Amino acid sequence: MSTTMSDCCGGNSGGERAVALGGTFELVDHHGQSVTDRSYRGQFMLLFFGFTHCRAVCPAALARLSRVIDRLGPLASRLQPLYVTVDPERDTPEVMKAFLEGKYPRFTGLSGARENIERVKALYRVFAKRTAAPDDATGYQMPHTAFTYLIGPDGRYVAHFTDAAEEDELVERLGRYLGLNC
């Protein structure tokens, strides 16, 4: 079941067209615990899709999002940052944990069976495709969508941000959403 842009937090206001994104999912966090979208109800979810073997886009995005979260101060307590793998064959919960805990400790990594990852990718219209990469030790890379999604405490889509969004813009927009009583 997908939902439309939430009326909460400024979504779907004025003449804005509703966007059908999101829905229910079942994955495994980087501690090996089964989680669903309902595990995060009552707080905002900030989702970024990527993979731990990414050389440039993911590390830059996670570092930028970590700085944004730090700059949000007390409002950050309303936010659960999630890093959803697009490469579950390599990104087991153990790999995700090792990758995130050192550099990006605010994020919870989510992995799972390929079919569950494919379902979540479809819910958020995320593109990711395995391609050959002879210079990579594993022989492949995973080009993917580099959007960040904000989901409201009710589990409904609020907004998304492109990889080109500047840090100051993200702080301002997220601060505005998180500061509302949704």
Side-chain angles (χ1 to χ4, degrees), residues 48-116:
F48 185 79
F49 291 79
F51 64 109
T52 63
H53 287 75
C54 185
R55 294 183 184 161
V57 174
C58 296
L62 291 171
R64 184 184 75 219
L65 291 170
S66 293
R67 289 188 305 271
V68 166
I69 293 164
D70 286 344
R71 289 178 58 189
L72 289 170
L75 288 176
S77 67
R78 298 194 70 200
L79 187 67
Q80 176 58 63
L82 302 170
Y83 184 51
V84 183
T85 186
V86 296
D87 187 11
E89 287 77 23
R90 289 189 288 193
D91 290 342
T92 63
E94 298 80 17
V95 169
M96 296 286 281
K97 183 176 183 176
F99 177 77
L100 293 170
E101 285 190 347
K103 294 182 180 177
Y104 316 107
R106 289 186 177 266
F107 281 83
T108 296
L110 300 179
S111 188
R114 167 59 61 192
E115 57 270 13
N116 291 355

Side-chain angles (χ1 to χ4, degrees), residues 1-2 14 23 44 46 50 120 135 140:
M1 174 184 109
S2 66
F44 287 85
L46 190 68
V120 176
D135 60 330
Y140 72 94

Side-chain angles (χ1 to χ4, degrees), residues 12-48:
N12 202 18
S13 60
E16 228 175 296
R17 201 177 94 220
V19 178
L21 286 176
T24 61
F25 63 79
E26 293 182 39
L27 296 172
V28 177
D29 73 15
H30 70 244
H31 300 291
Q33 301 297 308
S34 293
V35 295
T36 70
D37 54 296
R38 293 186 107 21
S39 303
Y40 304 104
R41 289 294 191 274
Q43 57 190 336
F44 287 85
M45 290 187 291
L46 190 68
L47 281 82
F48 185 79

Side-chain angles (χ1 to χ4, degrees), residues 114-130:
R114 167 59 61 192
E115 57 270 13
N116 291 355
I117 294 297
E118 291 300 324
R119 175 170 160 60
V120 176
K121 284 171 38 188
L123 290 170
Y124 288 93
R125 299 182 187 168
V126 170
F127 166 83
K129 182 173 175 68
R130 183 177 170 153

